[in-house]
Amino acid sequence: MKIDSITLREIHMPLVHFFETSFGRVHSRSILLVNVDVQGVRGWGECVAGDDPFYSPEWIETAWPTIKKYLAPALLQSEVASGRECAALFARVRGHRMAKAALENAVWDAEAQLKQQPLWRLLGGSCREIVCGVSIGIQDSPEQLLDKIAGELAAGYRRIKIKVKPGWDLGVLEKVRARWADILLSVDANSAYTLDETEHLRKFDAFNLLMIEQPLWNDEIYLHARLQKLLRTSICLDESIHHARDANFALEAEACRIINIKVGRVGGFTEAISVHEVAQSHNAPVWCGGMLESGIGRAHNIALSTLEGFRLPGDVSASKRYWKQDIIEPEVEVRSDGTIALSDAPGTGYRVLEDVIDKLTVREETFRLKH
Ligand code: OSB
Ligand code: MG
């Protein structure tokens, strides 16, 4: 594939409902989109870095110059045969995985279009439908949370995950379990606790949770192993897992029993597939995490979720939970049984609405090889 040009855009999209985690509340998102023009097709990728460096050190103001100065030139100067070859091309740059993933995934998308293949098949997926869960942020009151859960269950979602932090945890879980004793329920702490709070965390065991996601520090694996020994509830790691070696260490050390795979956090589809393989070799289930993506990233998450190790419902849900108007057509819809159907169309199976993107764009820059 000879890449003709790479375009980076920043779009601004207000959320339908605010989203609050232990590190703060967001009402809208600035999203970096990248597209690669190659041999008459346009592949799209989404950078999942946030507006702020709160979930991870990366944010949109690190991703933009990293792509501009290092990743785009590296890609423009070489000829890659497939999306899979991008990771090696970008390896000289340390970290910046979300920036790398945006570009690599755009190349995979272009490759799927050029080969007239569904992206999910190109990635090695085999499931024709994926099972969906939702991630529900911290609300203004427990009553508001219960209303939200009721709405999502009525919509068919098969797993509810709620965000927790000290002061918004056991009391809320009591209320949720009092109303729904049997639903598949998990919690995500986004690193809100420390090992000193082990006794408190052990109380989560009373609620029959599918998992507790990332209870401790974002940069720790070993101390999660200490904690996992003391909990009945399975730990799932999110922030701590940056690549397949992390996944292998975490599973070998029994720091977790489940891994949340976010394609942006691990640096692209190639590494996400490797993390999936590592988890398979340990017989540990994985599921696809979300980063409040627009339709472009969402479509990529759907494709990734078709790999056979994605045995638990992911945080992959309908466009309308986030956006009044998404930037793809059709928008992502979840059926009343909580599943999304995969199509056999080439690429993602969703059309990118460039006119809508144009209206949302606040900056744009195109990179080409200088002759
Ligand atoms: O920890 O999974 C997380 C959103 C932003 C940053 C981190 C996380 C999340 C979510 C949202 O939980 C999942 C989604 O609905 O996209
Ligand atoms: Mg998480």
Side-chain angles (χ1 to χ4, degrees):
M1 287 191 273
K2 191 85 204 95
I3 313 280
D4 300 319
S5 66
I6 298 170
T7 299
L8 202 48
R9 284 185 186 78
E10 178 183 341
I11 61 170
H12 193 80
M13 292 177 83
L15 286 162
V16 168
H17 185 77
F18 67 80
F19 190 79
E20 183 174 327
T21 63
S22 59
F23 51 77
R25 185 179 280 198
V26 293
H27 295 272
S28 69
R29 292 218 49 222
S30 298
I31 298 176
L32 295 194
L33 297 177
V34 45
N35 71 256
V36 297
D37 285 346
V38 45
Q39 294 160 219
V41 306
R42 175 164 285 186
W44 287 88
E46 173 168 344
C47 181
V48 301
D51 291 57
D52 307 287
F54 299 159
Y55 165 82
S56 75
E58 276 191 278
W59 61 305
I60 58 171
E61 300 300 343
T62 64
W64 188 292
T66 303
I67 292 172
K68 176 176 175 162
K69 182 158 181 202
Y70 299 101
L71 306 180
L75 185 57
L76 287 166
Q77 279 157 27
S78 30
E79 206 160 314
V80 287
S82 63
R84 194 171 272 282
E85 291 180 9
C86 290
L89 216 57
F90 301 156
R92 189 174 172 211
V93 173
R94 290 187 174 164
H96 297 281
R97 297 176 196 279
M98 295 174 178
K100 290 175 179 174
L103 203 47
E104 180 188 312
N105 295 354
V107 175
W108 278 90
D109 182 26
E111 180 187 349
Q113 293 178 49
L114 287 169
K115 291 183 172 163
Q116 288 287 299
Q117 255 190 57
L119 176 62
W120 62 276
R121 282 205 196 279
L122 192 64
L123 293 171
S126 55
C127 311
R128 299 223 48 127
E129 61 174 37
I130 66 161
V131 180
C132 308
V134 287
S135 171
I136 305 181
I138 293 163
Q139 306 296 318
D140 287 328
S141 67
E143 292 65 44
Q144 196 178 9
L145 176 68
L146 295 183
D147 285 349
K148 287 225 133 213
I149 295 174
E152 305 297 10
L153 291 171
Y157 287 102
R158 305 261 281 266
R159 184 225 61 206
I160 301 291
K161 154 175 147 184
I162 63 172
K163 293 290 185 177
V164 290
K165 65 175 182 180
W168 181 274
D169 51 12
L170 300 173
V172 172
L173 283 169
E174 294 268 7
K175 292 194 167 74
V176 174
R177 274 298 184 217
R179 183 145 161 207
W180 296 284
D182 299 324
I183 57 168
L184 213 48
L185 180 67
S186 65
V187 296
D188 186 357
N190 291 109
S191 304
Y193 301 93
T194 68
L195 209 54
D196 293 341
E197 290 160 296
T198 299
E199 280 316 302
H200 179 72
L201 289 167
R202 288 179 71 155
K203 297 186 180 137
F204 284 65
D205 279 347
F207 298 100
N208 187 27
L209 301 174
L210 178 61
M211 70 190 92
I212 176 168
E213 189 177 338
Q214 198 71 39
L216 307 177
W217 301 274
N218 64 295
D219 56 356
E220 251 302 329
I221 293 176
Y222 173 70
L223 294 177
H224 281 96
R226 295 255 301 266
L227 179 64
Q228 180 68 90
K229 280 189 183 50
L230 302 168
L231 297 185
R232 205 155 36 101
T233 307
S234 292
I235 291 177
C236 169
L237 289 179
D238 173 354
E239 282 90 328
S240 296
I241 305 296
H242 305 104
H243 41 64
R245 283 178 292 103
D246 278 341
N248 196 50
F249 173 45
L251 291 168
E252 262 182 41
E254 296 180 34
C256 65
R257 301 182 191 133
I258 300 170
I259 290 177
N260 166 338
I261 298 184
K262 289 179 181 165
V263 61
R265 196 194 65 229
V266 302
F269 281 133
T270 305
E271 193 66 19
I273 292 167
S274 298
V275 173
H276 168 266
E277 279 166 9
V278 165
Q280 290 279 75
S281 73
H282 287 269
N283 202 22
V286 301
W287 54 280
C288 185
M291 290 289 284
L292 313 176
E293 286 92 346
S294 80
I296 291 173
R298 197 164 295 281
H300 287 184
N301 287 344
I302 292 169
L304 183 65
S305 302
T306 64
L307 272 65
E308 65 170 331
F310 286 76
R311 304 206 297 264
L312 297 171
D315 281 347
V316 183
S317 57
S319 298
K320 67 175 182 208
R321 295 187 63 247
Y322 307 83
W323 319 115
K324 212 157 101 189
Q325 181 177 19
D326 205 339
I327 57 173
I328 54 166
E329 204 178 66
E331 61 172 33
V332 172
E333 286 185 44
V334 172
R335 298 181 292 196
S336 58
D337 66 348
T339 64
I340 295 174
L342 273 292
S343 93
D344 283 319
T348 62
Y350 296 90
R351 196 168 64 83
V352 173
L353 299 175
E354 297 201 26
D355 50 333
V356 176
I357 290 176
D358 283 343
K359 291 199 186 87
L360 301 170
T361 298
V362 296
R363 63 173 156 158
E364 178 175 343
E365 197 172 354
T366 295
F367 313 112
R368 285 190 185 81
L369 260 198
K370 292 188 186 73
H371 293 288

